[in-house]
Amino acid sequence: MKITFPHLGNVYIAGKAFLEELGQEVIPPPRCSKKTLEIGTKYSPETMCLPFKINIGNYIESIEKGADTILITGSCGPCRFGYYSVLEQNILDDLGYDVEFIVFDPIYEGVKKLKNNICRALNVKSYRELIRAGNFGWQLIKKSDYLTQLSNETRAYAVNSYLVDNIMESYYMEVENTVGGKNMLRLMDEVESSLKAVKIDKNKNPIKIGIIGEIYTIIEPFVNLEIEKKLGHMGAIVEKSLTPTKWVEHHVSNFPFGSKEENEKYRLAKPYIPTLVGGHGRETVGSAIYYSEKGFDGVIQLLPLNCMPEIVAKSILPTIQKDYDIPVMTLVLDEMTGEAGYMTRLEAFVDLLERKREEKKNEKFLYGY
């Protein structure tokens, strides 16, 4: 069995090391590129959302490198993600690719089926071995997300923000040649030390922007045109409302009660959107309020074109902006998104937030509040 999976931000780093530690042969998907998008767009239904098209491109690139088994999580409810595995299998079958899908459906879809699929994919034969492997994978996911956030914060304060880019790019290149979980953790420790050694300007007071919206467009840098990096070079600290760590904390490690942070977002969203609308629509609304209460300067919603849950959330965000006095910008992404216009909007939004902060500072000085 030669395993691959969709490329989702830094998940491939933890996934590759985790599976290799269990003795599996892994063919990680190449980092997403224009080639990936072109392949996926060519073979996907036109009306499917951007993440689906990227996934198809990921699979075909990996299959051509020898992969024969695809791991993917499942879903349910009013979101097309629940149909991904079925549609993707049909597309690959029609193209003549002989691959097997192993789907990790939500636990409430059947504990036995989920356990069997996990044991088959991970090559574990006992519950104890599964727990041990799960704990190790959890360390890898948390460490990977920590490095991403550390790079975002360091970039905003760095004297030379492009040095952070060099460190992270070298890290991603080294990942491809690193085998096994222990070696991967050692590499991550080295990258952490390098980031902490970057010279920073403690006098800087960067604006803070929360990234909210659909999970894939938040996490995958190719899809969001590396928004974290772009905003960091503009002097902004970026925090993502959804990360692999937050997803696992809410849906796995704290199941069935959920994580404290996500439950708080549900509570905040309830007056505006009291029920599930699929995807992460409810979380998007709650996250906008959450970041407002944490003192962030603004939020940016990211969503793929035709994403129904995020379209619902988008219609509510102007009310959140008014009620909580926090600037909100929505960026819709598809295969036709141009970088020049995207950059112009980001620059304008950052300028707006800086002016708004300065106005508040002057008001406090003049009126003493």
Side-chain angles (χ1 to χ4, degrees):
M1 187 162 62
K2 298 180 180 180
I3 295 174
T4 193
F5 37 79
H7 196 290
L8 176 60
N10 288 335
V11 172
Y12 80 103
I13 298 174
K16 175 180 181 294
F18 172 55
L19 291 166
E20 286 174 343
E21 196 69 19
L22 293 169
Q24 298 286 49
E25 184 175 356
V26 184
I27 300 179
R31 288 167 65 186
C32 297
S33 64
K34 289 183 179 179
K35 179 184 177 183
T36 310
L37 180 57
E38 288 171 0
I39 293 171
T41 302
K42 180 178 180 180
Y43 296 116
S44 301
E46 183 180 355
T47 55
M48 285 302 291
C49 48
L50 185 59
F52 182 94
K53 296 172 183 176
I54 293 288
N55 280 186
I56 291 295
N58 290 154
Y59 299 151
I60 292 175
E61 286 185 302
S62 297
I63 291 168
E64 291 177 349
K65 290 178 176 290
D68 56 26
T69 304
I70 295 171
L71 306 185
I72 184 173
T73 57
S75 181
C76 61
C79 174
R80 283 174 288 191
F81 182 63
Y83 298 104
Y84 269 31
S85 59
V86 177
L87 292 174
E88 290 169 348
Q89 178 83 70
N90 289 338
I91 288 171
L92 295 177
D93 286 346
D94 289 343
L95 292 173
Y97 294 116
D98 182 19
V99 291
E100 178 185 12
F101 273 73
I102 298 179
V103 184
F104 305 131
D105 283 313
I107 194 168
Y108 40 79
E109 293 289 309
V111 176
K112 185 177 180 180
K113 180 182 177 182
L114 175 61
K115 181 183 176 182
N116 289 341
N117 281 346
I118 290 175
C119 290
R120 185 157 57 101
L122 304 186
N123 193 30
V124 292
K125 297 177 176 59
S126 67
Y127 187 72
R128 180 179 295 178
E129 190 179 356
L130 179 60
I131 294 297
R132 183 197 67 79
N135 287 333
F136 186 71
W138 179 227
Q139 291 180 49
L140 288 162
I141 290 172
K142 287 195 294 183
K143 187 72 171 182
S144 180
D145 279 345
Y146 168 71
L147 287 180
T148 301
Q149 187 58 32
L150 178 61
S151 70
N152 288 340
E153 294 174 4
T154 305
R155 192 179 285 111
Y157 282 101
V159 174
N160 178 7
S161 61
Y162 291 95
L163 182 58
V164 177
D165 294 354
N166 294 339
I167 292 171
M168 295 304 290
E169 187 60 33
S170 296
Y171 163 51
Y172 296 139
M173 292 177 66
E174 193 64 33
V175 161
E176 298 177 9
N177 302 316
T178 302
V179 178
K182 294 178 182 177
N183 290 331
M184 192 68 76
L185 284 174
R186 192 176 301 114
L187 172 63
M188 290 177 176
D189 287 339
E190 293 171 0
V191 174
E192 180 183 356
S193 297
S194 297
L195 288 171
K196 289 182 175 179
V198 173
K199 186 176 181 180
I200 61 172
D201 182 354
K202 295 182 180 179
N203 294 318
K204 286 185 177 181
N205 184 23
I207 59 173
K208 298 178 73 176
I209 298 175
I211 303 297
I212 64 176
E214 189 270 331
I215 187 169
Y216 190 89
T217 48
I218 291 176
I219 296 175
E220 175 49 52
F222 174 77
V223 170
N224 62 41
L225 303 185
E226 303 204 55
I227 191 170
E228 298 165 64
K229 188 184 295 186
K230 286 179 168 63
L231 289 172
H233 291 312
M234 295 178 197
I237 289 182
V238 178
E239 182 177 311
K240 294 177 288 191
S241 63
L242 288 165
T243 64
T245 297
K246 292 180 180 181
W247 189 91
V248 172
E249 284 178 340
H250 186 61
H251 294 282
V252 180
S253 59
N254 289 297
F255 181 85
F257 305 105
S259 67
K260 182 178 178 180
E261 180 179 320
E262 294 306 301
N263 288 336
E264 174 66 7
K265 291 175 182 177
Y266 289 167
R267 184 189 69 80
L268 292 170
K270 194 169 184 178
Y272 300 91
I273 183 168
T275 188
L276 176 72
V277 294
H280 293 93
R282 182 169 52 177
E283 289 89 335
T284 294
V285 173
S287 294
I289 302 171
Y290 179 80
Y291 283 128
S292 174
E293 294 190 343
K294 284 185 68 177
F296 275 57
D297 296 284
V299 294
I300 297 175
Q301 181 198 21
L302 300 177
L303 67 146
L305 186 67
N306 293 331
C307 179
M308 182 275 290
E310 290 303 320
I311 290 172
V312 174
K314 180 178 180 292
S315 69
I316 299 170
L317 289 177
T319 304
I320 303 297
Q321 178 173 270
K322 181 180 178 182
D323 290 351
Y324 287 86
D325 189 30
I326 183 168
V328 179
M329 180 172 70
T330 295
L331 295 172
V332 181
L333 298 154
D334 69 357
E335 62 268 26
M336 302 302 291
T337 300
E339 188 164 359
Y342 191 83
M343 276 294 294
T344 299
R345 294 193 66 190
L346 288 180
E347 289 168 350
F349 190 65
V350 169
D351 287 344
L352 169 69
L353 298 184
E354 289 175 341
R355 288 200 308 271
K356 188 175 178 64
R357 177 190 276 190
E358 193 63 29
E359 287 170 2
K360 286 184 177 180
K361 182 179 177 181
N362 292 337
E363 286 176 359
K364 186 175 182 180
F365 176 77
L366 291 172
Y367 303 109
Y369 63 82

